[in-house]
Amino acid sequence: MKRLRRVLSIFSLVFIGLLLGLILIAELAENKVAGIALKTINENVDATIAVENIDLSLIANLPDVTLEFSNVEVTTVSDTLTRIDRLYISAELMPLFKNRFNIIEIALEGGWLNYKIDSAGKTNFDAFLAVPEDEQAEDTTSNQLYLSLKHLELNNIFFSFTDIPDDINACLYIDEGLTSVYIDDENQKIAFDGALRANQCKYPQSKLHLMEEIRVELDVTYFNDKLTVSNCFIETDGANVKASGEIALGDDIYTDVSVSSANFDLEELSKYIPDTLLSNYDVRYVSGLASLQADIKGIYNDSVMPRIDAGLRLKEGRIAIGDYPVLNGIGFSGDYSNGALMNAQTTHVNIDTLSFSAGASHGFLSGGIENLDKISYRAKAALQLDLDDIFAHLPDTLLNDLSGQLKLNASSYGVLPNKFDEQFADYILDRTELNMQLTNVDVQMDSLLNLDDVNGQLAYKKQAFEIDNLSMVLPDYGLTLTRADVNADYEGQLAQLSSLGINISNFDIATTHSWLKGEASFNNPDYPLYKLDADAQIKLSEFMAFVPESQLKSMTGTVAASVKTGGQLHLDSIADNMMKTLFTQSALKAELNNVGIEMESYPVTISQLSGTVGLQSDSIHMDNISGDFNGIAFDTDSTFVKNIYSAYWLNQPDTIKAEGYLNLGDIDYAMFEPFMAVEENEEAEIVDDEAVSEPARYHFAAKGKVTAQSFWYGNALLENMSALYNVSDSLYIADQIKVDAFKGQMNSSVKVEMLPDDVMKINFKNSTRGLDINQLLYDFDDFMDYTDEVYISHEQLSGVLNTDSLSGQFIIAGDSVDIGKVKLKANLTLEDGRLRGYPITKEMGEDYNIDGLDDLQFKTLNTKLFVTGGSIYAPLTNIKTNTFDISLFGKQEFDLDCQYHIRFYLKEILRKGKTNRLERKQSKEGKQDDYGGTKGLTSLFAVYKIENGKTVKSSLEGKDSQMRKKMKSLIYVKEQFAELEFHPLIVKYNTGVVDNE
């Protein structure tokens, strides 16, 4: 124990002595060691290094020597390069005894360094960069130590950099830093762990000067071309980044870097964006918080990329561009990776979400792309747009106003082609889905259609589209679309228009009072092939606004219609194709209910039109049609027209056939006079067209029955009219033409034959009972509108007319009646008549001194007439009056030249009238002689003859005068020839129409 204490005592004394010896040696060698260090440094620089104080310690870092320099200053002739407040240097102890200074640790605390490049391109540190001439030739191929610095510590160091030619400035602060360096021929190792700051930075054509400060925390090691980043944290105005990893440099660069976090304040960072870039895109404002994470791992060279996986996030984004709505609440989440193969083939970009809002609008998008060699894509969007906000920022268009809400959902996927051509549109449509919802949308367009309160949904998916519950108001037309549902799809490709086709499997459209339902298809735009099967009910007044004001004043009533049609159109002959389809490949049916139409440009008003109209197999059918035309009531049970297309439209030698039974109400001819004026003007306008038009090859044939309750022609009233008709292009027949008129009844037939050379042959027959001749003359104003002079007036003639076997024939060549070929036969009776002031009888009375001939009141007037050879012949006419009985025969020319032979009775003349005895005798007489006289009475005979409009004979004649005999013989012969030329019974007026009455 005593020995141990002794040893410890000796060791303590030795240690204390050694410590005191080192302290003493340090004090004695301090200046020498400092001199060695300063000499070593000054030998390699062309500058002056001044030190205020130096402290040497041999104890602090045994077995190394520590030097502490205070207020170290390095200057050149023109500038102070650096100033260090405190500099600590640790060197190996043993080499110092051989005047060698091997530094193993350096620490700098406080101070600054000023690095400047002047306008000539020279730096103030050129003195440190110069290489002594004796070292330039030194052989450095041997394996000797170049640099070994185990510990370089930097604290509170300020570094100033100025580049005058390039106008670059920067201030760098090393708050704390620990560096180690080892470099020889085989190994290079550099490590740094510390914190740095920079500010007052300036770089040309940038806004770097706006940066307040950038701070970097760094822990890196570089060893033999391998950079290891244990920690890298960068923070500046509006951004911070944290990363770590390794980078191996060589022919190939290997990276294994992870950016664990990166956050960016876009509003703050936007200050660095060049003003020109902002102005080019008219960016007024941008903000948001973005974050990034990324991993980079793998080899990089000219042909290989490392594996990159990155994710980007953005929240609270906001951007304002020009006058467009400000986008608020922008959010983004997405990632990028170049995949397992680390090339374009495995590269993909995913957008998990991109959301934004603008005013009352907002949107959401997602999607991604893969394989940059052959890009495949997918995208999905959901937008809800407030159209009021959008309209305020639209460029000048036809829109005057736009409002409402639009909600759109869309998605698409596919692979982008190497070449974009017309087929790409089909590719996109095949892989796209759309769904659009409209809510209370209002659209106002300049001089075009305006829409109010548009609501509904439109969808598209895989060549099929759907319109669901679409509604809107068309204020300009006073129409409300209450519902529109459409289901359709298309086939073919937009790149091949001829292959396109659309199939509408269902459409259901309704307005407030009307609807339309059905299905349709349309194929091959080059030669359109279409089909339509639809039913509709239309209230005409709803669509009045769509009709040009120049055509209609009003439309009323409803139409229930069905149509089934289909065909193919050739665009160069579309009218022919449509007509062929309409008449031969369509079935149309329309039920009219109280339809009313009032024309604007024509004096036409149709009201209360009801019934059924159909079109099928080139035939139009009308059943139970009734209505009112300009005040004329009409109806028909059944009417049809056939072969309209095959005969008329094609102008082929076929026959248009029609059959109709038409009943009319009260008619006034005055209502037709405006139409007559219009037709005359139209005919004058189309004369040239008719002159060059193709001659008609078709024929027509129509038959039926027409009736009318009444017909006013001026003052003339015809009632209970009816007729059977059968007409064709060369033959017109009207039979049983029955009329109640002028207090009597007539039944007539007419047959018109069209002959070659513009010749018309007219046959007619008539039977009249109880016709008041005075009423006829009065109502027709004595026919003054049809003759140059009045032959006889209603003031001259009255009586009741009856006809028996009245028949005739006219030949019209061009516009003229061939008087020489007029044929007429008639037996006429006029009862209870009166002839007053008639020139012929008045003149005869004066010539023969017979009173009463200027005012005859006769009981009957029987006459038998026939016309032939351009003359009127009267074989026998008996006139029984209350004063005289007269019989006559003779001939009358159409120019009023005449020759009449008259018989009257002597007693009636002598007695100035009839006695009661004569009236009784005549009333009992049942037989007349050959001359029409009454037996037992003395007769007087006279002749009355006019030639060239002048009376050449008015005198008594003998019973057997030659003139009388010749006239009688002439009448006989003419009558016989007339019988041979004209047989009324041979002419048939059969129409083939069954009269059910």
Side-chain angles (χ1 to χ4, degrees):
M1 188 68 180
K2 290 181 179 180
R3 183 176 292 179
L4 177 60
R5 289 179 178 177
R6 186 178 178 182
V7 171
L8 291 175
S9 297
I10 295 172
F11 180 78
S12 297
L13 292 173
V14 172
F15 177 78
I16 292 172
L18 179 61
L19 180 62
L20 292 174
L22 291 174
I23 294 173
L24 181 60
I25 292 171
E27 289 294 329
L28 295 176
E30 182 177 70
N31 293 330
K32 183 178 181 178
V33 173
I36 294 172
L38 293 175
K39 179 181 178 182
T40 301
I41 296 174
N42 284 315
E43 286 178 352
N44 296 304
V45 298
D46 185 13
T48 301
I49 300 176
V51 180
E52 182 178 314
N53 185 44
I54 300 175
D55 290 329
L56 174 65
S57 174
L58 299 176
I59 299 174
N61 291 313
L62 279 176
D64 298 327
V65 178
T66 301
L67 283 174
E68 178 180 348
F69 298 85
S70 300
N71 297 325
V72 179
E73 189 175 85
V74 180
T75 61
T76 63
V77 176
S78 60
D79 196 5
T80 300
L81 301 182
T82 182
R83 178 181 178 86
I84 304 299
D85 293 342
R86 306 180 74 179
L87 170 64
Y88 298 87
I89 300 176
S90 178
E92 294 180 352
L93 178 61
M94 296 307 296
L96 289 176
F97 295 103
K98 299 179 181 180
N99 292 329
R100 292 174 57 190
F101 195 77
N102 294 338
I103 300 173
I104 60 175
E105 181 178 348
I106 298 176
L108 285 79
E109 182 175 340
W112 51 268
L113 183 146
N114 179 25
Y115 186 89
K116 182 185 295 182
I117 302 175
D118 62 19
S119 58
K122 296 182 179 181
T123 72
N124 56 355
F125 272 79
D126 286 347
F128 285 89
L129 300 177
V131 180
E133 295 182 0
D134 57 345
E135 292 184 2
Q136 293 180 8
E138 184 179 352
D139 184 7
T140 59
T141 59
S142 63
N143 185 16
Q144 67 181 45
L145 180 66
Y146 289 108
L147 180 62
S148 176
L149 183 61
K150 296 180 180 179
H151 188 96
L152 173 60
E153 184 175 350
L154 305 172
N155 294 303
N156 298 323
I157 303 300
F158 168 69
F159 175 77
S160 174
F161 176 82
T162 303
D163 185 346
I164 295 176
D166 293 330
D167 193 21
I168 299 174
N169 292 327
C171 293
L172 175 66
Y173 301 86
I174 303 176
D175 294 327
E176 56 182 352
L178 181 61
T179 302
S180 62
V181 180
Y182 180 84
I183 300 174
D184 62 22
D185 286 342
E186 295 182 355
N187 299 293
Q188 301 89 32
K189 182 178 179 181
I190 301 174
F192 177 82
D193 183 9
L196 303 91
R197 294 179 294 120
N199 55 28
Q200 299 184 35
C201 300
K202 182 179 180 182
Y203 192 84
Q205 298 180 350
S206 75
K207 294 185 176 182
L208 194 61
H209 62 282
L210 298 177
M211 182 180 69
E212 294 183 3
E213 186 175 76
I214 181 171
R215 179 174 176 272
V216 180
E217 294 181 4
L218 195 61
D219 184 0
V220 298
T221 301
Y222 175 81
F223 178 67
N224 290 346
D225 296 332
K226 181 179 180 180
L227 179 67
T228 301
V229 182
S230 299
N231 175 55
C232 178
F233 179 75
I234 303 173
E235 184 178 26
T236 185
D237 309 345
N240 62 77
V241 179
K242 186 174 184 180
S244 62
E246 296 180 351
I247 300 176
L249 304 175
D251 294 336
D252 296 331
I253 300 176
Y254 176 80
T255 62
D256 186 1
V257 177
S258 175
V259 180
S260 58
S261 68
N263 301 298
F264 307 96
D265 186 334
L266 301 183
E267 182 179 7
E268 183 69 24
L269 294 177
S270 65
K271 66 184 180 182
Y272 302 117
I273 302 175
D275 293 336
T276 55
L277 184 61
L278 293 175
S279 61
N280 288 341
Y281 293 96
D282 203 9
V283 177
R284 297 184 289 111
Y285 180 85
V286 62
S287 66
L289 301 177
S291 62
L292 173 70
Q293 296 82 35
D295 292 311
I296 305 172
K297 186 174 183 179
I299 296 173
Y300 171 77
N301 57 34
D302 293 339
S303 59
V304 178
M305 290 286 292
R307 171 72 180 264
I308 302 174
D309 297 295
L312 178 65
R313 305 290 183 270
L314 175 67
K315 62 180 181 179
E316 300 177 11
R318 186 168 183 258
I319 186 170
I321 299 176
D323 294 329
Y324 291 102
V326 177
L327 295 181
N328 296 305
I330 301 175
F332 177 84
S333 175
D335 61 82
Y336 163 84
S337 175
N338 58 0
L341 299 180
M342 296 170 291
N343 58 20
Q345 183 178 355
T346 57
T347 296
H348 68 267
V349 177
N350 293 322
I351 301 175
D352 296 327
T353 178
L354 172 58
S355 59
F356 62 88
S357 64
S361 303
H362 59 270
F364 172 88
L365 294 91
S366 64
I369 60 173
E370 297 179 359
N371 188 1
L372 298 183
D373 289 338
K374 194 170 182 63
I375 297 176
S376 63
Y377 66 91
R378 55 181 174 81
K380 183 181 293 186
L383 303 174
Q384 182 162 332
L385 305 178
D386 188 292
L387 301 181
D388 291 277
D389 293 341
I390 293 176
F391 174 71
H393 301 280
L394 288 177
D396 292 337
T397 64
L398 295 176
L399 290 177
N400 289 333
D401 192 18
L402 180 66
S403 63
Q405 300 290 321
L406 185 150
K407 185 177 181 181
L408 175 67
N409 292 297
S411 64
S412 183
Y413 68 94
V415 178
L416 295 180
N418 295 327
K419 179 182 179 182
F420 291 92
D421 52 24
E422 62 273 10
Q423 295 180 350
F424 183 64
D426 295 299
Y427 183 87
I428 290 289
L429 290 175
D430 288 341
R431 292 160 177 80
T432 298
E433 295 183 19
L434 295 171
N435 190 296
M436 184 170 61
Q437 181 75 40
L438 302 172
T439 304
N440 298 329
V441 174
D442 294 339
V443 181
Q444 294 185 14
M445 293 180 283
D446 186 15
S447 302
L448 293 175
L449 186 66
N450 295 321
L451 305 176
D452 288 348
D453 202 21
V454 181
N455 292 272
Q457 183 172 335
L458 293 82
Y460 171 84
K461 180 179 180 181
K462 293 182 178 179
Q463 295 188 333
F465 54 90
E466 178 181 352
I467 300 174
D468 185 30
N469 204 26
L470 179 65
S471 63
M472 67 181 72
V473 177
L474 284 73
D476 297 334
Y477 298 94
L479 183 68
T480 299
L481 181 68
T482 59
R483 182 190 72 256
D485 297 323
V486 179
N487 297 94
D489 61 84
Y490 76 91
E491 57 187 12
Q493 297 180 341
L494 296 176
Q496 299 178 0
L497 293 179
S498 59
S499 68
L500 281 179
I502 182 170
N503 300 304
I504 304 176
S505 58
N506 171 67
F507 59 86
D508 187 352
I509 302 171
T511 63
T512 306
H513 303 287
S514 305
W515 54 264
L516 173 65
K517 299 178 180 180
E519 59 185 32
S521 65
F522 184 89
N523 298 281
N524 189 2
D526 291 339
Y527 299 98
L529 182 66
Y530 65 94
K531 291 182 180 179
L532 175 64
D533 188 353
D535 298 304
Q537 180 169 301
I538 300 172
K539 185 176 182 180
L540 297 178
S541 58
E542 277 193 301
F543 300 91
M544 180 61 201
F546 292 93
V547 180
E549 295 181 356
S550 61
Q551 295 183 7
L552 290 182
K553 285 184 178 180
S554 65
M555 290 191 306
T556 58
T558 60
V559 177
S562 64
V563 56
K564 188 172 184 179
T565 184
Q568 189 166 23
L569 299 177
H570 293 269
L571 299 181
D572 55 350
S573 57
I574 188 170
D576 292 335
N577 295 147
M578 293 186 67
M579 293 300 293
K580 179 180 180 180
T581 301
L582 177 64
F583 283 96
T584 65
Q585 299 170 228
S586 304
L588 288 81
K589 183 178 180 181
E591 295 183 4
L592 312 177
N593 185 16
N594 290 327
V595 171
I597 297 175
E598 185 175 2
M599 303 290 289
E600 179 68 39
S601 55
Y602 292 90
V604 173
T605 301
I606 299 175
S607 61
Q608 299 179 354
L609 180 62
S610 299
T612 303
V613 179
L615 171 60
Q616 187 173 7
S617 301
D618 202 7
S619 299
I620 297 177
H621 294 266
M622 293 179 284
D623 298 315
N624 299 318
I625 296 291
S626 63
D628 185 281
F629 178 82
N630 283 23
I632 302 174
F634 64 89
D635 67 82
T636 175
D637 293 336
S638 177
T639 298
F640 69 84
V641 182
K642 296 181 178 180
N643 303 329
I644 300 173
Y645 174 77
S646 61
Y648 173 76
W649 186 262
L650 296 180
N651 195 18
Q652 295 300 313
D654 201 350
T655 301
I656 303 173
K657 297 180 180 180
E659 184 171 338
Y661 296 83
L662 178 62
N663 301 312
L664 301 174
D666 299 321
I667 306 171
D668 191 340
Y669 178 78
M671 65 160 289
F672 295 102
E673 291 179 348
F675 294 99
M676 303 296 289
V678 171
E679 289 177 359
E680 289 177 359
N681 293 334
E682 290 179 348
E683 288 177 359
E685 293 176 358
I686 63 174
V687 167
D688 292 339
D689 293 337
E690 291 181 347
V692 297
S693 62
E694 185 179 2
R697 299 186 182 90
Y698 59 86
H699 307 283
F700 68 89
K703 64 179 181 178
K705 181 179 180 181
V706 59
T707 68
Q709 292 183 4
S710 66
F711 179 80
W712 282 95
Y713 187 88
N715 295 324
L717 174 62
L718 286 69
E719 298 179 291
N720 301 323
M721 302 171 63
S722 66
L724 308 179
Y725 65 89
N726 189 332
V727 299
S728 64
D729 47 359
S730 60
L731 181 64
Y732 304 83
I733 300 176
D735 192 21
Q736 302 296 315
I737 305 174
K738 299 179 180 179
V739 180
D740 292 345
F742 317 113
K743 303 177 184 178
Q745 297 84 36
M746 292 181 288
N747 189 344
S748 305
S749 299
V750 178
K751 182 177 183 180
V752 180
E753 297 177 78
M754 307 303 296
L755 303 176
D757 301 326
D758 197 20
V759 175
M760 182 187 304
K761 182 179 180 182
I762 302 175
N763 287 283
F764 68 92
K765 64 178 181 178
N766 171 266
S767 176
T768 301
R769 294 291 179 268
L771 178 67
D772 189 329
I773 198 70
N774 181 264
Q775 187 72 45
L776 173 66
L777 294 172
Y778 176 81
D779 290 345
F780 278 98
D781 198 18
D782 300 327
F783 297 100
M784 292 181 62
D785 294 336
Y786 307 97
T787 60
D788 295 333
E789 57 180 310
V790 177
Y791 296 111
I792 192 167
S793 70
H794 67 280
E795 295 178 347
Q796 295 170 328
L797 180 63
S798 63
V800 178
L801 176 67
N802 297 292
T803 65
D804 185 21
S805 300
L806 173 60
S807 58
Q809 183 181 96
F810 295 92
I811 303 296
I812 300 177
D815 297 330
S816 302
V817 177
D818 190 341
I819 300 298
K821 294 183 179 180
V822 173
K823 308 294 183 184
L824 179 67
K825 291 185 177 181
N827 290 327
L828 307 176
T829 300
L830 184 66
E831 299 178 339
D832 297 328
R834 182 177 183 181
L835 183 62
R836 181 176 58 183
Y838 189 60
I840 296 177
T841 58
K842 182 178 180 180
E843 185 177 350
M844 290 177 62
E846 293 174 352
D847 292 342
Y848 302 117
N849 194 25
I850 301 175
D851 295 334
L853 291 184
D854 60 341
D855 186 7
L856 289 175
Q857 298 181 11
F858 43 84
K859 297 179 179 179
T860 62
L861 187 154
N862 296 318
T863 182
K864 179 180 179 182
L865 300 174
F866 68 90
V867 178
T868 185
S871 300
I872 304 172
Y873 296 92
L876 181 61
T877 298
N878 286 320
I879 302 174
K880 296 185 179 293
T881 71
N882 58 347
T883 305
F884 301 102
D885 287 352
I886 302 173
S887 62
L888 61 86
F889 64 90
K891 174 185 176 183
Q892 174 79 52
E893 302 290 347
F894 283 99
D895 59 1
L896 296 184
D897 285 359
C898 64
Q899 180 178 328
Y900 288 106
H901 295 273
I902 306 168
R903 177 176 181 169
F904 48 91
Y905 302 102
L906 180 60
K907 285 187 177 181
E908 293 177 347
I909 295 175
L910 295 175
R911 297 175 180 271
K912 302 297 183 180
K914 289 184 178 181
T915 63
N916 293 334
R917 181 171 175 273
L918 285 175
E919 288 186 1
R920 288 196 301 269
K921 180 177 178 62
Q922 289 176 344
S923 63
K924 293 179 180 180
E925 183 65 50
K927 183 179 179 181
Q928 295 178 333
D929 60 19
D930 295 338
Y931 297 98
T934 302
K935 291 183 178 181
L937 294 178
T938 302
S939 298
L940 295 177
F941 300 92
V943 60
Y944 184 80
K945 186 177 182 179
I946 298 177
E947 290 182 355
N948 299 321
K950 296 181 180 180
T951 303
V952 297
K953 192 78 171 176
S954 179
S955 61
L956 293 174
E957 65 176 348
K959 176 181 179 182
D960 298 322
S961 70
Q962 291 299 316
M963 187 179 295
R964 187 180 187 87
K965 287 181 179 182
K966 286 182 180 180
M967 178 55 66
K968 194 168 190 66
S969 177
L970 176 63
I971 292 175
Y972 176 79
V973 172
K974 291 294 184 179
E975 188 172 16
Q976 297 304 311
F977 277 105
E979 290 289 341
L980 292 174
E981 293 178 346
F982 180 57
H983 294 278
L985 295 178
I986 297 177
V987 180
K988 303 298 182 184
Y989 298 93
N990 183 23
T991 60
V993 178
V994 178
D995 190 358
N996 296 323
E997 292 186 357

